[in-house]
């Protein structure tokens, strides 16, 4: 197996580990229906009345939200996606717009949920298709900029504050390949 064939597994592993941490992280929820205290897996859910705000692990919040008991209290990723695409188009080729560290994790979760809804609802299908096109646009723009930045001899000092851990890994892997290619070409 070549060295290049191993690399996708590292990226897949990073996504898997980050997704696990994302699901375990706490998120604020607004209680829409009274909740009785109960054990949900290894988590002890407290009793809560309608209108209460709780901090729950995301995986518990998602279960309760799907049952209509709570509403997760965070900005919609659909708006964040639209803003990110717009800002990325405005910035020059070597400037990346900062995005949240958990942006891709939230986006994956959002697209997965939309895909399930889109199977039975034509309006949801159109929204899903638009979100998918915007996602592809954003990824293409950001990958292009990361590729250009990885070929530079010096990296902008603020780069790592503007990219996600997944993009950081992509940058490092591409930079490593570019540097190896340069060394080989120049016999360094």
């Amino acid at each position: 197996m070549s060295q290049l064939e191993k690399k996708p597994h590292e990226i897949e592993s990073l996504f898997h580990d980050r997704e696990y941490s994302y699901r375990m992280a706490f998120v604020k929820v607004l209680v829409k229906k009274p909740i009785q205290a109960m054990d949900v897996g290894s988590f002890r859910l407290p009793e809560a009345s309608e209108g209460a705000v709780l901090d729950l692990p995301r995986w518990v919040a998602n279960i309760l939200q799907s049952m209509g008991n709570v509403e997760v209290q965070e900005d919609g990723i659909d708006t964040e996606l639209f803003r990110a695409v717009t800002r990325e188009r405005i910035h020059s080729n070597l400037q990346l717009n900062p995005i949240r560290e958990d942006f891709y994790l939230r986006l994956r979760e959002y697209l997965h949920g939309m895909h399930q809804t889109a199977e039975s609802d034509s309006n949801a299908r159109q929204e899903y298709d638009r979100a998918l096109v915007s996602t592809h646009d954003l990824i293409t723009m950001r990958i292009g900029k990361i590729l250009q930045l990885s070929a530079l001899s010096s990296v902008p000092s603020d780069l790592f504050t503007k990219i996600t851990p997944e993009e950081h890994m992509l940058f490092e892997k591409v930079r490593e390949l570019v540097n190896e290619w340069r060394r080989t070409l120049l016999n360094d």
Side-chain angles (χ1 to χ4, degrees), residues 60-123:
V60 173
N62 287 346
I63 292 169
L64 292 173
Q65 183 167 290
S66 71
M67 295 168 45
N69 292 17
V70 301
E71 182 178 295
V72 175
Q73 300 292 293
E74 64 184 358
D75 293 337
I77 190 71
D78 53 338
T79 304
E80 200 171 333
L81 173 61
F82 175 75
R83 270 189 252 144
V85 170
T86 302
R87 288 179 181 156
E88 221 51 68
R89 283 188 177 125
I90 293 170
H91 281 89
S92 75
N93 285 346
L94 294 177
Q95 288 185 323
L96 282 161
N97 178 56
I99 57 175
R100 288 174 46 157
E101 184 175 293
D102 65 354
F103 179 81
Y104 291 120
L105 301 170
R106 291 177 60 222
L107 184 59
R108 280 171 56 119
E109 183 177 68
Y110 172 71
L111 290 173
H112 178 73
M114 282 190 71
H115 182 69
Q116 289 178 327
T117 305
E119 291 176 356
S120 60
D121 180 344
S122 62
N123 289 336

Side-chain angles (χ1 to χ4, degrees), residues 7-175:
K7 299 211 183 292
H9 298 295
E10 292 176 44
I11 293 169
E12 186 178 319
S13 179
L14 174 69
F15 267 92
H16 176 69
D17 292 349
R18 292 211 3 94
E19 209 160 54
Y20 177 80
S21 296
Y22 172 74
R23 294 194 191 295
M24 296 303 288
F26 280 72
V27 63
K28 288 198 181 311
V29 298
L30 174 66
V31 177
K32 294 168 65 176
K33 295 178 187 173
I35 299 172
Q36 293 181 354
M38 70 177 91
D39 291 326
V40 181
S42 61
F43 181 76
R44 179 77 178 150
L45 183 64
E47 185 174 329
S49 57
E50 185 177 342
V53 175
L54 300 174
D55 280 325
L56 301 175
R58 186 175 298 276
W59 69 271
V60 173
N62 287 346
I63 292 169
L64 292 173
Q65 183 167 290
S66 71
M67 295 168 45
N69 292 17
V70 301
E71 182 178 295
V72 175
Q73 300 292 293
E74 64 184 358
D75 293 337
I77 190 71
D78 53 338
T79 304
E80 200 171 333
L81 173 61
F82 175 75
R83 270 189 252 144
V85 170
T86 302
R87 288 179 181 156
E88 221 51 68
R89 283 188 177 125
I90 293 170
H91 281 89
S92 75
N93 285 346
L94 294 177
Q95 288 185 323
L96 282 161
N97 178 56
I99 57 175
R100 288 174 46 157
E101 184 175 293
D102 65 354
F103 179 81
Y104 291 120
L105 301 170
R106 291 177 60 222
L107 184 59
R108 280 171 56 119
E109 183 177 68
Y110 172 71
L111 290 173
H112 178 73
M114 282 190 71
H115 182 69
Q116 289 178 327
T117 305
E119 291 176 356
S120 60
D121 180 344
S122 62
N123 289 336
R125 180 68 197 188
Q126 289 176 347
E127 284 182 47
Y128 173 73
D129 290 343
R130 277 193 297 271
L132 206 52
V133 167
S134 292
T135 299
H136 282 284
D137 288 349
L138 179 66
I139 290 170
T140 300
M141 286 185 282
R142 288 187 71 87
I143 287 174
K145 291 178 182 186
I146 289 168
L147 291 174
Q148 288 181 1
L149 289 165
S150 69
L152 297 176
S153 55
S154 91
V155 179
S157 60
D158 64 345
L159 175 64
F160 301 118
T161 64
K162 295 180 176 183
I163 60 178
T164 67
E166 297 86 358
E167 291 173 330
H168 189 159
M169 179 182 253
L170 175 64
F171 174 84
E172 293 297 337
K173 298 295 179 192
V174 170
R175 188 168 179 83

Side-chain angles (χ1 to χ4, degrees), residues 150-153 172-185 188:
S150 69
L152 297 176
S153 55
E172 293 297 337
K173 298 295 179 192
V174 170
R175 188 168 179 83
E176 181 182 315
L177 288 171
V178 168
N179 287 337
E180 181 181 338
W181 186 83
R182 271 194 187 123
R183 281 190 304 275
T184 302
L185 178 70
D188 283 345

